[in-house]
Amino acid sequence: MRLGRRALLGGGLGLGLGALCLPSLAPRGARAEATGPVRRLLIVMTEHGAVYDRWRMRPGGLGEDADWEVPLAGLAAEEFSEILRPLHDFRDRLLVLDGLGNAVALAAGMNQHEAGHATALTGTHVQPVDGALARAQGPSIDQIVAQAIAAPGQIASLQVTPWSWPYCFNDAGEAVPYIYEPLELYAKLFPQGPGDAPVPTSLAAIRARQSQVVDLVRAQYDQMAPRLGGDDRRKVEQHRDLLAALGLQLEKLAEIACAAPDSPGAGPPWEDPAWYDFRSEVFTTLTTLALSCDLTRVAVVALSGLRNEHVGAPPGDIHNDFAHAVSTDPVAKQVMVEYGKLHAGELRRLLAALDQVPSEGGTLLDDTLVVWGNELGSPEHAMDRVPIVLAGGTSFLGAPGRYIRWRPTHVATGPWGDEWQGPPHNRLLVSIARAMGVETDQVGVGSVKLKDGSTLDCTGELDRLRG
Amino acid sequence: MALGTALLAACGDAGGAATTRGEATTAAGSAGEADTGEADTGEPTDACAGALDPGPSPLRRLTHTQFANTVRDLFPGVTLPPLTLMVDPEVHGFENNAGAQSPSALLVEQVQRAALAVTEAAMAAPQGWLPCGVDGGADPVGCGHAFLREFGGRAFRRPWTADEAEAFLGFFDQQLAEAGFAVALPLTLQAIVQAPQFLYFFEFGGAPVDGASGVVALTGHELAARLSYFLWDTTPDAALLAAAAAGELDTAEGVRAAAERMLADPRAREAMVNFHRQWLDFDAIETIDPDPEAYPGYAPELKDSLRGELERFVAWVLFEGPGTFEALLMSPRAEVDAGLAGLYAVEGPADGWAVAELDARRAGILTRAGFLAGTSHAIHPSPVQRGIFVLSRLLCAPPAPPPPEVSTELPEETGETPTTNRERYAEHTARTECAGCHRTIDGIGFGLEHFDALGRWRAQDGGQPVDARGELVGTDVDGPFDGAIELSARLAGSAQARGCVVTQVFRYALGRSTEAADRCQTARLRAEFEDVRGDMRALLLAVVTSDAFRHRRGGAP
């Protein structure tokens, strides 16, 4: 089968895009060869939560202690919050969610960056590991969705980052590793390279027979597994099954015509702040390309690693000197506002790139549910009011273009303090799962114990999201 | 690579503990480690006189370093391209912990691509490893079969079984018939280096151990692999495989003899530096970012010097120097290049490296610029990072994480008279909720205040004389001290620190965390380490001849 799908990704990401020499852009409205309606999930994770009073919107002076929502379409740019203003152009395709809590992370009793990473996309309890980063206790939403919608032979999901702790976890709660290097992502998506260099006959034959090699290797794993027990056996069986997926991938991806851009190269050295810009650029561009070519339908991009130069910060550590001081130091607060604005700008460029790729549903953006999430609620480690923005394929969830506010309704308890929180973020994960075609009523824990001894039901969809 | 794993970390350091990479986050479980007796300093107890228990032996896999070294050694004479293989998650700083070596789609694909790249390079330079031409010569089948059997034995670290020979040679024959030797051979080699017998260390054991129910001795080949990947970070050589086949590794004496030979080999130097890199976190140097105004002479090239010096120092201590833990902490002997010579204010070479004697204000690892810079922020050193390093890496007693939602902001330098780094930290951590832990952490870190964020000596900070008085709390060498030399000397005399060295070596050698079942093993090793007055080379030999290293629990692995 030849899928015959061609990349139609255009420019628009700015820095570095020219070097990628992406295929020329087809006129908007033109359609790539369709293989049927496809839904895609793209999760963008950033860190340190949000400076809430500069992130939130209160059009018309709407209050804190009520549930409400307003359409975004009628808001002028200056009515958008400072941090979210870069997204104003896409306001009719956004869902801004204000008031969700990550109660299960609060209950973890450990560094909340770590707990937030393990819970943001899983909703499970945290599993501490002596001497290492905590794990989750079940799969993250990207893995749940990937298992449901990835076609055999597709890359089930992509996880890329310049520099971040894990957000993605497999069924056993083990971290799904990231790709850190742009060249590594390029090699994964385009193992044959740009395609304009002649390939020796023997090398071409070797490449063409890779799935046969994998089959032989897989048989060795299959024979070894029964000789083992417990975790050892599970490890070998897991490796065997991953090989089976790789074998299919090697066969199928070779059949997908996705014009390879030039190699992005290694980029600037770490000392150069452009190190981050380059990675952000290449990762978002190549991820968009992978989605547009249907090489994958699920991707997670964890954007972390901004330098002081990016956010106008004086010397000091963004994490400890500024993020932790937003409530007491105006300079630190402004640094973290700039931090949020910069990431919002990155998201806007990503949405613009997706919107330039024609697709069955209109553009790739229409077919892709984009989720902008975070491991914390606030830079000072709160787990309430976790900032969430949904974009693109928000029609999967109901009427797009809304700002939805949930008031705090209960007190979730943590080992060092309590928080008033709104709905548990698990329900958002359920809504995402259902939007992507996974019929489930629970992602992560089913409930969390509250301070008053009652339990917070974490199952079911997030109310009012479907409008 | 360090960038891939170096992350946000502890919230406990007002200046940012970003380069401590998870130390504070590990503390939640640290009590368990301490509870296993790792901080004990006594002799094995009577309870240890009973049955032998080697502890668990979870299935391990080649690390990214071991994979690269092994394919390098399997294809002599071939210049291999850089191979991208993920670094497994660190546990206690080590990259070889079996519990973290879960396979992933990324790993499996990376290994496949690496196999392709390795054989492509190898087929371009066959002279050093292939006994016939790349077309198979006059007898492609004969050459292919003979070579693959020999290669397969080296790759699997034992002779092939009949089933393995049938599978791999059958595949080769099929590919040979369809595509020719130049395709069939690399394809088969690719399969071999992706096979479980290559990537994983399967240990089924051999003879049951008398008097130890359910415990089996590892086979000679299994032990050869453990030895080789611990002491060399690569595959056994022909002599080690021959010793395994001849039964020479069936006794502790035979293992000791093999290990002594291996430690005299240059491969041990590289491997032991790699152990120290992980234990003492040399990778922290990769992400230092000194402020250009505070350190106008700094250039990123200095990072190579900082790292190079640490590597040369630990190698010298272990292989040419006294070989002791004390020397690691107290020796003033250094190797410097021009950049470091300026930093240390000693005579240095115009090019390359030269031996230098550091002045009396510096001694071992805690006074070397690489460590000091790696535990600093852009402008100021971090007493917190330095304290946490000593507690977790040298004393195996990492502190508990700080409570969340505690602002760790450092007060601004305000007023006519700037406060010192020490005063800012002291003021900041004086609050009740911070003081308990920070008395322990900063009490150590303050002792290194004479060294700035680049590791340079400073007599003054913020216009004030540096106060480098510190205090050790909760250790076996508690009490006040003044400055880095006294701190280093105190730690060099600490049985708790020597016990921690044993724990770190044990974790690395076995590729796993320690647990309660290891209490007797590690207690014996600690006693031996005390007997040899902290001789690291003797410790390596003690570990490889220990029951835990040479045995495993019976039953299905």
Side-chain angles (χ1 to χ4, degrees), chain A residues 309-394:
Chain A
E309 292 88 341
H310 289 112
V311 290
D317 183 87
I318 287 180
H319 176 205
N320 285 301
D321 291 341
F322 302 115
H324 289 173
V326 294
S327 64
T328 55
D329 178 0
V331 173
K333 182 173 182 176
Q334 189 57 40
V335 164
M336 297 314 295
V337 169
E338 297 300 325
Y339 188 98
K341 287 163 62 178
L342 190 144
H343 283 318
E346 288 177 297
L347 186 68
R348 185 192 63 76
R349 289 192 291 276
L350 181 56
L351 299 182
L354 291 167
D355 204 28
Q356 290 179 6
V357 182
S359 181
E360 305 97 77
T363 73
L364 190 58
L365 181 58
D366 298 311
D367 295 344
T368 306
L369 178 58
V370 181
V371 179
W372 179 17
N374 215 290
E375 102 281 29
L376 295 178
S378 79
E380 290 173 316
H381 290 206
M383 283 296 181
D384 62 338
R385 304 185 301 204
V386 176
I388 303 285
V389 176
L390 308 180
T394 46

Side-chain angles (χ1 to χ4, degrees), chain A residues 142-143 146 150 154-159 176 188 296-300, chain B residues 105:
Chain A
D142 56 297
Q143 298 300 294
Q154 262 181 335
I155 298 168
S157 65
L158 282 176
Q159 288 77 28
V176 177
K188 179 181 180 73
T296 188
R297 293 173 183 173
V298 177
V300 177

Side-chain angles (χ1 to χ4, degrees), chain B residues 77-105:
Chain B
V78 175
T79 302
L80 295 173
L83 304 175
T84 302
L85 284 184
M86 57 174 280
V87 182
D88 288 309
E90 292 178 15
V91 181
H92 295 296
F94 296 121
E95 298 162 353
N96 68 344
N97 190 291
Q101 291 182 320
S102 302
S104 62

Side-chain angles (χ1 to χ4, degrees), chain A residues 376-462:
Chain A
L376 295 178
S378 79
E380 290 173 316
H381 290 206
M383 283 296 181
D384 62 338
R385 304 185 301 204
V386 176
I388 303 285
V389 176
L390 308 180
T394 46
S395 59
F396 306 167
L397 287 160
R402 291 177 292 151
Y403 186 105
I404 309 175
R405 160 73 183 169
W406 286 267
R407 65 187 167 86
T409 54
H410 54 266
V411 179
T413 188
W416 292 283
D418 303 327
E419 285 180 2
W420 276 95
Q421 293 195 341
H425 82 299
N426 302 69
R427 293 183 190 158
L428 171 63
L429 299 178
V430 171
S431 292
I432 293 170
R434 289 190 181 175
M436 300 305 299
V438 182
E439 286 307 315
T440 185
D441 199 45
Q442 180 178 337
V443 175
V445 298
S447 65
V448 172
K449 192 171 183 181
L450 296 174
K451 185 180 183 184
D452 64 5
S454 64
T455 56
L456 172 66
D457 181 8
C458 296
T459 64
E461 284 210 54
L462 187 58

Side-chain angles (χ1 to χ4, degrees), chain A residues 135 163 165 188 271 320-321, chain B residues 6-8 14 16 99 109 303:
Chain A
R135 295 176 176 173
W163 180 331
W165 281 349
K188 179 181 180 73
E271 288 75 17
N320 285 301
D321 291 341
Chain B
L7 299 161
L8 294 171
E109 189 177 335
K303 291 196 295 187

Side-chain angles (χ1 to χ4, degrees), chain B residues 363-450:
Chain B
I365 199 85
L366 294 181
T367 63
R368 300 307 169 101
F371 160 72
L372 295 162
T375 49
S376 295
H377 303 300
I379 297 176
H380 298 296
S382 170
V384 174
Q385 286 190 35
R386 291 172 177 180
I388 289 174
F389 175 93
V390 169
L391 287 167
S392 58
R393 301 295 172 105
L394 299 183
L395 291 167
C396 292
E405 300 181 31
V406 168
S407 171
T408 54
E409 175 200 12
L410 270 181
E412 290 291 306
E413 297 176 17
T414 57
E416 295 298 319
T417 306
T419 55
T420 64
N421 190 47
R422 178 187 183 121
E423 287 168 344
R424 286 197 303 277
Y425 272 90
E427 181 181 327
H428 178 64
T429 56
R431 294 185 316 217
T432 307
E433 67 268 31
C434 303
C437 287
H438 279 279
R439 181 181 170 215
T440 304
I441 298 168
D442 303 1
I444 294 171
F446 285 153
L448 300 168
E449 273 296 284
H450 267 302

